[in-house]
Amino acid sequence: MPGRHVSRVLALYRRILQLHRVLPPDLKALGDQYVKDEFRRHKTVGSDEAQRFLQEWEAYATVLWQQANESRQKSTEKASFGTALPEEKLNDFRDEQIGQLQELMQEATKPNRQFSITSSIKPKC
């Protein structure tokens, strides 16, 4: 992403990981890994795509923050996180994004959401 966005990107990245702390452990692990992968994948995109990327993740952070506050106020009820994805947004997705979304949905809806998070960092020899 272009240089002037770096501090904004890092602040958003940290905020999202901090917000994930309110999620159940399995969803936190899944969410953290997804965020890390997406931010890594978008490091070199052009300015327009970087702007859209930031807007979408800022909207996600806002919704998650609101849902976290609601769950704290309703401490006796099971917390509910997430939101429906409107069809018109789906129509804007590239095939690669649809595939990623399907994989994420499958992982998030597994009966006993147990998965291993693997690091993409290669060990130094």
Side-chain angles (χ1 to χ4, degrees):
M1 290 187 198
R4 67 180 181 271
H5 293 295
V6 172
S7 61
R8 181 176 165 201
V9 170
L10 288 174
L12 178 60
Y13 178 79
R14 288 187 195 114
R15 180 174 175 224
I16 291 169
L17 292 178
Q18 187 175 34
L19 286 166
H20 280 178
R21 293 178 187 165
V22 302
L23 297 174
D26 52 351
L27 287 180
K28 178 189 179 306
L30 179 63
D32 286 356
Q33 189 63 49
Y34 186 75
V35 168
K36 289 172 186 176
D37 290 345
E38 280 297 293
F39 274 70
R40 217 176 274 126
R41 195 175 293 127
H42 285 81
K43 269 186 176 180
T44 59
V45 298
S47 186
D48 288 345
E49 190 171 349
Q51 202 57 37
R52 282 191 306 275
F53 178 83
L54 289 172
Q55 287 171 346
E56 291 300 323
W57 280 104
E58 285 168 344
Y60 167 79
T62 300
V63 168
L64 187 55
W65 181 82
Q66 290 168 343
Q67 291 174 342
N69 282 339
E70 288 170 12
S71 76
R72 276 189 226 117
Q73 292 171 3
K74 302 175 187 176
S75 58
T76 56
E77 296 177 31
K78 187 176 179 190
S80 177
F81 297 101
T83 184
L85 187 60
E87 192 172 328
E88 58 270 11
K89 278 208 176 200
L90 275 177
N91 293 335
D92 292 337
F93 282 17
R94 296 185 309 264
D95 289 345
E96 175 190 350
Q97 291 171 310
I98 296 289
Q100 289 172 343
L101 189 60
Q102 287 174 325
E103 287 176 26
L104 184 62
M105 184 188 72
Q106 288 168 353
E107 196 63 50
T109 57
K110 281 184 178 176
N112 293 319
R113 287 186 307 240
Q114 294 178 0
F115 45 86
S116 62
I117 301 297
T118 56
S119 176
S120 59
I121 299 172
K122 294 178 181 158
K124 294 180 181 176
C125 298

